[in-house]
């Protein structure tokens, strides 16, 4: 599996059997699997979707959005539970308006899952933690 380092952006090939062994980046030596969501720019997200094999769960949000603020702790908790299964990413749609338009984001929060370069699932609105984790796992 090819995984993008959340720290330096380097691409790393990791055998599936080593995903549960806390792999580190060959370039910067930091952990490849983080248990917190990663803030990305639109360009970083596109690169991650196109170049990596690791599923990416994206929270398209805005700082003025009440439901987005309420969902943020749930998304962070899910990152801890799903760290070996998917990379959880946050995209601020106020800052990254072009990427929001590219993915046709009409309401926020919008949650999308990308795998092998394609969007495989989408959900509008916040969810409780168990439902969110179940939705991600069933989609993968």
């Amino acid at each position: 599996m090819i995984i993008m380092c959340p720290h330096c952006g380097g691409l790393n090939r990791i055998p599936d059997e080593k995903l549960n062994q806390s792999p580190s980046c060959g370039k910067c030596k930091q952990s490849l699997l983080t248990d917190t969501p990663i803030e990305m720019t639109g360009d970083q997200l596109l690169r991650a979707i196109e170049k990596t094999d690791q599923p990416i769960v994206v929270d398209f949000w805005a700082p003025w959005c009440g439901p987005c603020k309420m969902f943020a702790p749930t998304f962070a908790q899910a990152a801890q539970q799903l760290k070996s299964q998917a990379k959880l990413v946050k995209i601020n749609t106020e800052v990254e308006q072009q990427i929001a338009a590219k993915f046709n984001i009409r309401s926020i929060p919008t949650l999308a899952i990308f795998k092998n370069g394609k969007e495989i699932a989408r959900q509008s609105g916040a969810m409780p933690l168990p439902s969110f984790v179940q939705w991600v796992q069933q989609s993968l």
Side-chain angles (χ1 to χ4, degrees):
M1 177 179 288
I2 297 175
I3 297 177
M4 180 185 287
C5 177
H7 309 286
C8 72
L11 298 176
N12 294 266
R13 185 176 304 277
I14 305 296
D16 290 345
E17 63 272 8
K18 293 197 177 191
L19 283 177
N20 292 325
Q21 299 175 6
S22 300
S24 58
C25 178
K27 185 176 178 183
C28 73
K29 307 301 182 209
Q30 295 189 60
S31 178
L32 289 173
L33 305 178
T34 60
D35 59 0
T36 57
I38 302 162
E39 290 276 345
M40 283 189 174
T41 66
D43 289 341
Q44 289 170 324
L45 176 63
L46 290 176
R47 183 171 184 252
I49 290 170
E50 292 170 5
K51 302 285 184 183
T52 66
D53 300 325
Q54 185 181 30
I56 300 169
V57 181
V58 183
D59 176 11
F60 292 96
W61 69 285
W64 50 262
C65 168
C68 297
K69 289 179 185 178
M70 289 177 24
F71 183 66
T74 300
F75 198 71
Q77 289 175 327
Q80 294 172 350
Q81 292 184 28
L82 298 167
K83 79 176 194 176
S84 65
Q85 298 169 43
K87 183 181 301 281
L88 274 70
V89 172
K90 294 184 73 69
I91 296 290
N92 181 339
T93 58
E94 284 294 297
V95 176
E96 299 294 334
Q97 293 180 6
Q98 288 183 329
I99 201 74
K102 178 178 177 55
F103 288 109
N104 203 23
I105 304 302
R106 298 283 181 230
S107 64
I108 51 173
T110 292
L111 309 164
I113 303 174
F114 297 88
K115 187 175 180 184
N116 299 323
K118 295 182 175 78
E119 183 176 331
I120 61 169
R122 182 180 287 221
Q123 171 75 37
S124 293
M127 292 185 263
L129 180 62
S131 299
F132 176 63
V133 170
Q134 182 180 23
W135 174 72
V136 171
Q137 290 174 332
Q138 286 178 344
S139 298
L140 298 179

